[in-house]
Amino acid sequence: MRYYLGSDLGATKTHTLIVDEAGRALGFGESGPANHESVGYDGMFHSMYDGLEQALNMAGLTREQIAGAGFGVAGYDWPSEIEATVSVIDRLDLPAPHKFVNDAVPGLIAGSEEGWGVVVVSGTGSNCRGWDREHQREGRVTGHGVLMGEGAGGSELMHRCMQIIGYSWTKRLPETALANAIIAHVGAKDLEDLMRGYTTYEYQVGAEAARIVFRVAEEGDQAARDLICWAGTELGEMANAVIRQLQFENLAFDVVLTGSMFEGGAMLIEPMRAMINKLAPKARLVRLNVPPVVGAVMLGMEADGYRVTSDIRKAMTETISVLRNASLRQT
């Protein structure tokens, strides 16, 4: 029996999963954040190590029994970071072959029917990556949000939301119910106090407030509805950039949607779909319905030259939730 390991290294937490060659989940670990941009490469190692130990202990396996490993690494954005990332993985003392990718890619591998296509991430931030069928060519955006004019995750949505509220205060735009909703959210006295406190950094309005925009839009506020339409269109533009890079325009492929913003539903997704289907009419939008760590395990299988079948995908999907619940009961 062969065993495979995957690790999804995130900005807030790290998930590690071990499965057997049939895809049955055997070991799971949840550890701390592992994005080197926030915790450094030592912090990245400790989170990876802790998650690996938890998963090995639950599975009753040793490092030497792992046949292949895959890692989705938050903060791995540029070739200049390859050497440092390799050095951290080497410290885990895994003798198995391994592959690592940006942390957006495992969601694509797990969520697309055949393990290739495009993935769009919209959570606190946003990202977009794509892989061809052979996993040889990659398309991407920078993943650096407002800095590079890319959107829209919750942070970018709220950045633009506050601009719109500012426009309404200066009478550049009509009044919007978003203003009173954000005033209540931060505890400001009135709109002028909100503008003062926001521009002096007393009041912080981050991605956590994105849900307010969706609520106000559902209540009928046109500015909020337009703002969500803008976000969906921006996400569609990001996907189209990657589609052009990979020359997918005439292909049938999956666009995997992952991240909390997509919980907003059709108001966000339909403008995105319209934008993508103008360029790639055969593209199919699908929601990721398994943890991204499943895709990291599949990457580990690929590193070993082991083919991921539909039965293996099904087995992982059916068994990981049971294993995660068992892990939570132990903590």
Side-chain angles (χ1 to χ4, degrees):
M1 181 67 72
R2 303 180 74 78
Y3 304 98
Y4 296 97
L5 177 140
S7 190
D8 176 33
L9 285 61
T12 58
K13 62 182 178 299
T14 298
H15 284 168
T16 302
L17 175 67
I18 295 173
V19 307
D20 64 19
E21 62 189 35
R24 292 184 292 262
L26 303 175
F28 181 82
E30 181 168 332
S31 49
N35 186 328
H36 73 88
E37 295 173 346
S38 56
V39 301
Y41 284 106
D42 279 341
M44 174 181 170
F45 166 74
H46 288 301
S47 292
M48 292 174 74
Y49 182 88
D50 289 347
L52 173 62
E53 288 294 303
Q54 291 176 39
L56 287 171
N57 288 337
M58 179 179 283
L61 298 172
T62 66
R63 284 168 169 74
E64 289 70 28
Q65 291 174 279
I66 301 299
F71 302 92
V73 184
Y76 166 55
D77 297 315
W78 306 106
S80 59
E81 296 161 326
I82 290 175
E83 184 177 349
T85 304
V86 168
S87 68
V88 173
I89 294 173
D90 286 346
R91 289 171 63 187
L92 296 174
D93 292 327
L94 282 168
H98 68 265
K99 289 187 176 184
F100 63 91
V101 292
N102 176 272
D103 66 321
V105 177
L108 169 60
I109 300 172
S112 56
E113 187 174 340
E114 298 179 343
W116 66 280
V118 173
V119 60
V120 180
V121 182
S122 183
T124 299
S126 59
N127 203 354
C128 184
R129 295 261 174 160
W131 248 1
D132 68 357
R133 191 187 300 270
E134 294 76 26
H135 291 184
Q136 296 298 314
R137 294 186 300 122
E138 183 180 31
R140 58 167 297 182
V141 298
T142 71
H144 285 269
V146 170
L147 180 66
M148 299 305 297
E150 295 171 358
S155 297
E156 292 83 23
L157 184 79
M158 297 316 300
H159 180 83
R160 190 166 178 87
C161 175
M162 293 307 296
Q163 291 177 335
I164 289 168
I165 292 173
Y167 287 165
S168 72
W169 180 65
T170 61
K171 306 301 182 185
R172 182 171 170 177
L173 287 178
E175 291 184 0
T176 168
L178 287 168
N180 285 336
I182 300 300
I183 288 169
H185 175 66
V186 301
K189 298 175 184 177
D190 51 31
L191 182 53
E192 182 173 341
D193 185 48
L194 173 63
M195 293 294 95
R196 178 202 61 78
Y198 181 71
T199 56
T200 59
Y201 305 103
E202 177 184 341
Y203 298 139
Q204 303 295 316
V205 182
E208 79 289 341
R211 57 183 173 77
I212 297 173
V213 177
F214 283 91
R215 174 176 59 79
V216 173
E218 289 169 357
E219 293 169 355
D221 183 77
Q222 191 59 49
R225 296 182 72 87
D226 290 346
L227 179 56
I228 294 170
C229 182
W230 164 83
T233 301
E234 285 294 307
L235 293 170
E237 291 280 20
M238 287 171 61
N240 283 351
V242 172
I243 290 167
R244 291 188 192 98
Q245 292 170 41
L246 293 171
Q247 299 177 317
F248 281 179
E249 292 93 331
N250 297 317
L251 300 182
F253 63 94
D254 291 330
V255 179
V256 179
L257 313 182
T258 176
S260 58
M261 282 276 285
F262 290 114
E263 295 170 8
M267 275 195 294
L268 180 68
I269 295 172
E270 290 311 311
M272 180 182 174
R273 188 193 311 276
M275 182 61 60
I276 292 171
N277 285 153
K278 285 180 184 178
L279 179 67
K282 298 178 185 177
R284 305 174 296 260
L285 273 62
V286 298
R287 291 288 302 277
L288 181 67
N289 59 8
V290 295
V293 71
V294 168
V297 172
M298 294 178 186
L299 189 67
M301 291 178 167
E302 182 176 309
D304 187 45
Y306 192 75
R307 190 171 72 90
V308 179
T309 66
S310 59
D311 286 341
I312 289 173
R313 285 177 172 272
K314 182 179 179 182
M316 276 196 263
T317 301
E318 291 176 347
T319 59
I320 185 174
S321 58
V322 175
L323 199 67
R324 287 184 68 187
N325 290 336
S327 176
L328 289 172
R329 288 195 295 270
Q330 292 177 9
T331 60

